[in-house]
Amino acid sequence: MVAMAQSKANGQGTALAPAAAGAVAIPTLLGRSAQRIPVGGRIRAGIKVLTRRAAESARAREVYESGVAEGRGFEAIERELAAVLPDLKNPLTPKNVPYFTVRGEDFPNPELARQIMDLYAEDRGDGVMRLYRFPVVFPADAWQHVMPHELVTWTSSERRFWSEYSEDGQTRYCKTYEQPPAAGDGRRVVRMFGGRKATLRAQNNGVCDPETCAEYQAKKCNLSGRFIFFIPGIKSISAFELPTNSFYAMQAAIEKFQTIAFMRGGRISGFLDGQRTPFFISKRLVEVSRIDEEGKPGRVTQWLIELEAPVDPTALLRNEDGLDAIETRAAEAAIVLQGQSTAQTSAAPVVSDDGVIDLPAAPGGKTDAEPERIPVAAESNAVQPGPPVQPAAPRPGGQPRRDTPVALKAGGGEGAADGKEVAWLFDAAAALGVDAETYERYATKRWGQGWKKAAGGRKRALEDLTPFQDNGAGFVDKVKAELDVWA
């Protein structure tokens, strides 16, 4: 269930209240409420057919068949049947089918229903175009926003009771509409601004407990939910909805929402990957358990709504190496924008740990000018700042002293500190027996052209040198193998 921020009295106040998913509900004349996604059409999960008794009437069959052929909604057909055959109570009954129903009457703009069918309907061998499967894109990252649901009791015209969680999400309450107070001056009731107020139901201290609820036990109160989404290719600023009462379908969808969100850093909105892969909604025939009127368990076969995510899961997992690549490309792009060559090794920009590229003055410019700073994506595992260090003199035989700074963390400060860090890496490589030109070719091959400018590239170079602080010959062999054997 959705934990919603509730306002006192008529929903107005002076303070800001956090709504679901961290959004701030701002108080206005019309009350404080969480932002809602407007809906501009409804796709049905099934159909309605004539009951056995209604099917015995030729007039009922005529009204039903003509209504279906005209694309009218089943509510409209049911109203016409009630007008033509007033003695026929509840003439239509739901039927579980493997396809979805798209009727023009369920859309403020009936043209949208036609567009959906033209794009995604298919004939599966019976000569009838039906909607079996269609792509969707969800407009929010909180699954509670794109699949709202509640326990609700309906009368013929409105909600009578409905469930709602407390602000902390711990207690589920049963709400109803408050009876308008009497005016006491000849009028029957007080004229209410903003409509009737919601209040806790008097029974059971307002707590929603289905096991002790008379309406739920009488099957008058049921779980009701809906998916809210956009459909690729359908130009509508309003979303579409797909109602469902299936606990199994909603529970399975929640599990998939949570799985996708986990792999995408909390996101379920938008396309799933760079190839613009959407979710798909279809149906699957499954066996579900149920308890009959005598309390005996059984299983029935039903077509349930299924949420598909046809994407390679490994492509959704965040690759930390990609952050280094982004940072390096950003540094190289900054050089190009300054009209310099990416192969240039002097006066090159560097990316500091606070996610900013420092651009030195262009050739011929003022050397004492403040460097231009361009923000880039932050490095998650950037090298921590440290004091600049001096390379140690090599011991006889090309071996560095044991107290060589290779074992220390490289500095990650801005400006000159970064330049000293790069110079130290070259000196450390020289101390191990690899000259600057050879090390430059080796490092560029290993970590790309922008390795010196990215904190991540310098960090990897440091990690590459550290294991060889007492093994210069081993490092020379490694560099030779990289440049010659694996060329």
Side-chain angles (χ1 to χ4, degrees):
M1 300 294 177
V2 183
M4 302 176 62
Q6 297 300 313
S7 55
K8 296 181 180 180
N10 62 354
Q12 301 179 36
T14 58
L16 298 182
V24 175
I26 301 175
T28 69
L29 178 63
L30 297 182
R32 177 196 298 147
S33 62
Q35 190 173 19
R36 295 187 179 183
I37 302 169
V39 174
R42 177 176 297 174
I43 296 175
R44 305 283 183 172
I47 64 173
K48 285 187 175 182
V49 297
L50 292 169
T51 62
R52 182 177 302 178
R53 180 186 174 192
E56 296 174 354
S57 168
R59 178 58 175 155
R61 293 196 302 271
E62 180 184 348
V63 171
Y64 177 81
E65 292 171 0
S66 62
V68 170
E70 294 171 5
R72 301 175 60 190
F74 292 109
E75 288 81 0
I77 296 174
E78 199 161 21
R79 288 193 297 269
E80 185 174 351
L81 285 171
V84 174
L85 303 169
D87 295 334
L88 196 61
K89 303 297 182 181
N90 301 319
L92 299 182
T93 184
K95 182 179 180 181
N96 192 243
V97 292
Y99 53 86
F100 302 93
T101 301
V102 183
R103 302 283 186 191
E105 193 172 282
D106 289 326
F107 294 77
N109 179 7
E111 176 65 17
L112 295 177
R114 186 192 64 79
Q115 292 178 13
I116 294 172
M117 293 297 290
D118 287 347
L119 281 176
Y120 302 113
E122 54 184 304
D123 179 1
R124 293 196 173 180
D126 58 0
V128 181
M129 298 293 289
R130 296 191 175 100
L131 186 65
Y132 292 92
R133 184 174 182 264
F134 59 97
V136 299
V137 173
F138 294 104
D141 290 323
W143 64 262
Q144 295 93 337
H145 289 173
V146 299
M147 198 188 73
H149 53 287
E150 62 187 351
L151 288 168
V152 59
T153 300
W154 289 91
T155 66
S156 59
S157 58
E158 65 176 4
R159 289 190 306 174
R160 184 182 181 191
F161 304 114
W162 66 91
S163 67
E164 198 169 280
Y165 271 91
S166 59
E167 292 187 22
D168 59 8
Q170 300 299 315
T171 305
R172 186 174 64 242
Y173 291 109
C174 183
K175 294 290 191 74
T176 189
Y177 289 114
E178 187 179 90
Q179 179 65 28
D185 57 357
R187 292 181 298 169
R188 297 184 60 183
V189 295
V190 173
R191 182 186 176 198
M192 306 298 294
F193 174 74
R196 290 179 296 169
K197 309 302 184 293
T199 185
L200 292 177
R201 185 180 181 182
Q203 293 85 349
N204 201 26
N205 296 320
V207 176
C208 175
D209 184 6
E211 283 73 19
T212 61
C213 175
E215 282 75 19
Y216 186 83
Q217 296 302 319
K219 298 184 178 180
K220 295 179 180 179
C221 180
N222 296 290
L223 177 64
S224 177
R226 56 196 177 120
F227 294 92
I228 299 177
F229 47 82
F230 290 100
I231 300 178
I234 305 300
K235 297 179 180 180
S236 171
I237 194 172
S238 297
F240 305 102
E241 68 176 6
L242 172 64
T244 179
N245 297 328
S246 172
F247 170 84
Y248 297 100
M250 285 187 275
Q251 188 63 39
I254 290 172
E255 294 174 357
K256 292 185 179 180
F257 280 139
Q258 293 175 333
T259 300
I260 293 295
F262 179 80
M263 292 189 290
R264 297 182 70 211
R267 294 186 59 236
I268 60 174
S269 63
F271 291 102
L272 296 176
D273 56 21
Q275 285 70 47
R276 298 175 61 85
T277 303
F279 283 95
F280 278 84
I281 290 180
S282 61
K283 285 193 174 185
R284 183 166 61 99
L285 188 63
V286 298
E287 282 191 349
V288 298
S289 60
R290 57 167 295 181
I291 304 297
D292 62 19
E293 299 293 339
E294 299 178 355
K296 296 180 180 180
R299 300 187 69 84
V300 295
T301 302
Q302 290 184 354
W303 288 98
L304 295 185
I305 296 173
E306 182 173 41
L307 185 65
E308 304 175 33
V311 66
D312 180 3
T314 60
L316 302 182
L317 296 174
R318 184 174 180 175
N319 187 347
E320 292 298 333
D321 291 341
L323 297 177
D324 294 338
I326 291 172
E327 185 186 52
T328 300
R329 289 195 297 270
E332 293 176 346
I335 299 175
V336 173
L337 291 174
Q338 292 295 308
Q340 303 175 34
S341 169
T342 57
Q344 188 172 340
T345 58
S346 62
V350 291
V351 182
S352 64
D353 284 339
D354 61 356
V356 174
I357 297 178
D358 285 345
L359 290 176
K366 294 183 179 180
T367 58
D368 57 348
E370 182 70 19
E372 184 178 356
R373 294 166 63 83
I374 302 177
V376 297
E379 169 66 25
S380 64
N381 55 357
V383 181
Q384 297 299 318
V389 293
Q390 298 298 327
R395 293 191 299 183
Q399 298 293 329
R401 298 200 325 251
R402 183 166 292 277
D403 60 349
T404 175
V406 174
L408 302 176
K409 298 180 77 174
E414 298 180 2
D418 289 335
K420 290 181 179 180
E421 181 180 85
V422 174
W424 177 85
L425 290 169
F426 278 90
D427 290 342
L432 292 172
V434 178
D435 61 82
E437 181 183 355
T438 303
Y439 185 73
E440 171 79 12
R441 291 191 294 114
Y442 165 77
T444 300
K445 184 176 181 182
R446 286 291 306 275
W447 305 296
Q449 187 67 43
W451 72 273
K452 291 181 292 185
K453 297 174 279 296
R458 300 191 301 272
K459 176 176 180 290
R460 293 180 185 279
L462 172 65
E463 293 172 344
D464 185 65
L465 283 165
T466 300
F468 297 93
Q469 57 182 317
D470 287 327
N471 185 13
F475 186 70
V476 171
D477 291 340
K478 178 178 180 178
V479 171
K480 183 177 179 61
E482 181 73 22
L483 294 178
D484 299 334
V485 178
W486 306 110

